[in-house]
Amino acid sequence: MNFILKKWPLIAYLLLISASSYAQNKFTISGEVTDAETGEALIGVTIYTADKTVGTMTNTYGFYSLTLPEGEQTVLYSFVGYQTQQRDIKLTANQSIKIQLAVNETALNEVVVSAEKKDKNIAATQMTGEKLDMKTIDKLPVLFGERDVLKTIQLLPGISTVSEGGNGFSVRGGSIDQNLILLDEAPVYSASHLMGFFSVFNADAIKGMTVYKSGIPANYGGRAASVLDITMRDGNMKKFQGSGGIGLLASRLTLEGPIIEDKMSFIVSGRRSYADLIAKGANQIDDGTQMYFYDLNAKLNWKINDNNRLFLSGYFGKDDFGFEDMGMDWGNTTATLRWNHLFSSQLFSNTTALYSEYDYGFNFGDRGSMSSGIKDVSLKQDFTWYANPQNTMKYGLNATYHTFYPGEFLFEDNSISDIKVPEKQALESSLYISNEQKIGTKLTLDYGVRASMFNQFGPGENITYDDDNNIIDKAYFDKGDVMQTFYGVEPRLGLNYRFNTKSSFKASYNRMVQYLHLMSNSTSGQPTDTWMPSSFNIEPTIVNQYSVGFFRNFMDNAFEFSAETYYKTLNNISDYKDGTQVMLNENIESYVLQGEGRSYGLELYLKKKYGDFTGWVSYTLSNTNNKIEGINNGDWYDSSYDKTHDVSIVTSYQFTERVSISANWIFYTGNAVTFPSGKYEFDGNQVPYYTERNGYRMPDYHRLDLNIHLEGKGNKRINSSWDFSLYNLYNQMNAYTINFRENETNPNVTEAVKLSLFGIIPSVTWNFKF
Amino acid sequence: MKRYIFHKAMFFLSLSALLGGLLQSCEEVIDIDLNDAAPKLVIDGQIVIGEPATVRISYTSDYFSDDEAAYEENASITITDSENNSENLSYIENGIYTGALLRGKPGLEYSLSITIDDKTHKGKSKILTPTQIVKLGYTEFDGFGGSQDEPEYNIVITLTNNTEEDNYYMVKYFINGSEKEDTYSLWSNEYFPNEETIEFTPLRFSFTKDDVVTVKAYSIDEGTYDYYSELDEIIDQQGGGSSTPFNPGSNFGKDVLGYFRAWSYDQQTVQVEDE
């Protein structure tokens, strides 16, 4: 590791020497691209020369750097929904060029931008980094009138819902804990409100997001299946404004504006549900009952000067359920402090300090209380070196100190000893280096490696168990002692070959090592699931993924088509022994069974991006299996996340300037589940008899949703719009669970009972902006 | 395995609030194709203080079958206590065998040995200090309320507890003379190690003014506690059916379903009084 650290400039130099050797005099243009109206940094703006031979894109902070030969140059800046800007530059020295792009007013509704570089999907090196902007999300039908970024990504190929309404999602057969969800770089450990029916991400506070399923760049790590990188908005640098919405279940308000014009801005966005207030009003629940969630996003953005910028952002959210003095609550807190610094026009640095916490608790009134959670403190240093137009190198390091609170029960009565599952501590650290290299005009390579290390520290015990979960040996470690160490070397490779401007071939390989494990014996995820470190008894999960894809655009780029296929092998995936209780189980490690897994699939995606009629069709055919000693005789069995077919059809039609209608239809194969294959009588009860795990399937799931969006008349102080939604339009009673039990009136008769959560649900939301 | 109380509390608080209160969830009996597994041996054995052992031996049947399960008539069964007294059980009918002489005593461990077709299965259980119901009352349920016109009540029960012993308790609730309990609750000594008497208000069982409720409070050993905890996961899946179901672990080993338990119980009846 030290070798790589010390020698990287040399290695980098050797890599780049071929590209630089023919250069005569070259200079760099660099700077920031922002929205002309709000000052918000724009991510992913394409910057290219008029002859289209050289180009780059703005990074997460809106920064770009492009090195060009001396002399006259014409450079274009283009971005979806904005007017393309052209700059004629006489290049005789490095130049800082700040660009403000204006919204293309005529294109606001139609999203037709003639100068837009429409073939971005073909040219982009990223294999499957799918970017979603909030405009797309705004138009989709919603449940209870709440727009939801996590629901939207589940409509993409390879990403599937794990249960009705739930926010836990599975990427290419991965479990829900294999997704790294980042909000302004801070990991979010539990991304759902209200038992999983709403995500914690308030759409008003979000600028955009990128989801990676394969070819995951080396600067991300720590989860096995995917990365969902969500960026919060920076706040309007030009003027004060507000926006919000009033819905059936929750309302939201966002305020933003400059503190110092063009220098410092803020944004504060809050949301609270009020189902409890309505239910109390309607006498459905008692006054002492609590049942709500709230969240608050806040961000401060300070451009100190051209070379330095500071961001401070935070998220606070909570769910609260209960009645009288008993109840439960859970929530996340994250905080991110970032410093962008330009060492030169070609070297961009981002220094980040992070805090993230998730916890949940129960309150049992005068008997006691219980709590559990995880806390992270993290430091991160990332560099981007825009060496030349052919090579962009990223490198950096990251250290995260995790503290795990698996659970404790504190009794009010002091005569009873409290139950405390000991805290665990671990340091996760990593180094990475990667280079995006353009070879000729057709081939782009992105190659890199991430080296990771995980140390579990004392105080703690390494416990040896026998097969019946009995303790047979213990080794005690003092505070600060290293209890267990794991290493990972994670190569990341991506390749993009452009046949022409219409079609390209992409291939990637990545290895991911995951050191954290979510202890959960449900598929969909519950707030009470507990995070645990890799340890003496639990090995890190390792995934190797191979992926190839063909991308083609039709009809002047109005249609995008892609076909991708992947194959994954997983080592040390976890399942549980029969009847495992996760909560407050101090010996949970002995109940974890680890084995291997595999997943492969084909993903087809056809998208229409422009015109009055837009939308996409996505289809995934896949297979995911596990093989774990101790389950189903050690044979391969279907994973709980295996979905053979998964179809999403998303459409939106702009009828007039003010009226648009959108609809989506979803179909997927039912989850693999465990049903009985017999029954027996015990102590007067009819008991189901189970013979194998995941041997059956839930019924197939399908649903149609509809949304009508009405834009209010403009030219007022307040712009308003209405959203009328119908969730599950044809009232399909999809199965949430199927339970097997005795008939209530005749206990000798056993029956299967399907529980459905949502029939047709209408909702209305009024949105405003001032 | 002793986390039962929290697990159930969680489901009660969260899911019932959500599913019952807010959403228009709906239940429906459906037809579903299930495999027919090969019949597996089921042993349902018990010995109670002052009574002889009884054992019922049967086999699993198809899940939706309405026929009586097949039972075993040719088992050879012996019960032995930790003082080395033993007795062979005799076959009565419908797969049921009973003893006559050896009766349950507190403090003794009992082994049940069952031989069928040259294969022997053995299970053990111990009778701990019996518990007594000191007080049985009720309280009006003041939970989510509002939706029911008729008030509901919860049991308030006080039991004796031997602080010298690792006791476990099960309370079964019977409504209006029914032979089968409505449901049951389990408690582990680790939450009340030093209390001579323990009081509970189990929220999982509620009743109305017209009901006559009989409560049986069992003193059980750790194995029985674990078995009934697991059994409860399987037979009472309300709302929580997302965790992987399984067969509760038998004290006869993996080849057998069911359990042999040695226990004692006290019982009392309560009804809501007119005010």
Side-chain angles (χ1 to χ4, degrees), chain A residues 559-579:
Chain A
F559 285 93
E560 287 178 15
F561 169 78
S562 69
E564 286 180 68
T565 173
Y566 72 91
Y567 181 79
K568 256 190 211 185
T569 60
L570 300 97
N571 292 312
N572 307 324
I573 53 162
S574 302
D575 208 329
Y576 300 90
K577 291 181 182 172
D578 283 347

Side-chain angles (χ1 to χ4, degrees), chain A residues 276-277 279-281 283-290 322-324, chain B residues 142-144:
Chain A
D276 53 336
L277 305 178
K280 278 175 197 171
N283 266 339
Q284 287 294 308
I285 53 173
D286 276 359
D287 284 348
T289 307
Q290 304 119 40
F323 62 95
E324 299 298 320
Chain B
D142 56 357
F144 307 108

Side-chain angles (χ1 to χ4, degrees), chain A residues 409 584 586 683 690 750 754, chain B residues 3 6 28 63 228 247:
Chain A
F409 196 108
L584 281 177
E586 60 262 54
D683 198 9
Y690 297 93
T750 40
K754 177 180 83 172
Chain B
R3 307 307 172 193
F6 307 109
E28 183 191 350
Y63 189 78
Y228 274 86
N247 300 317

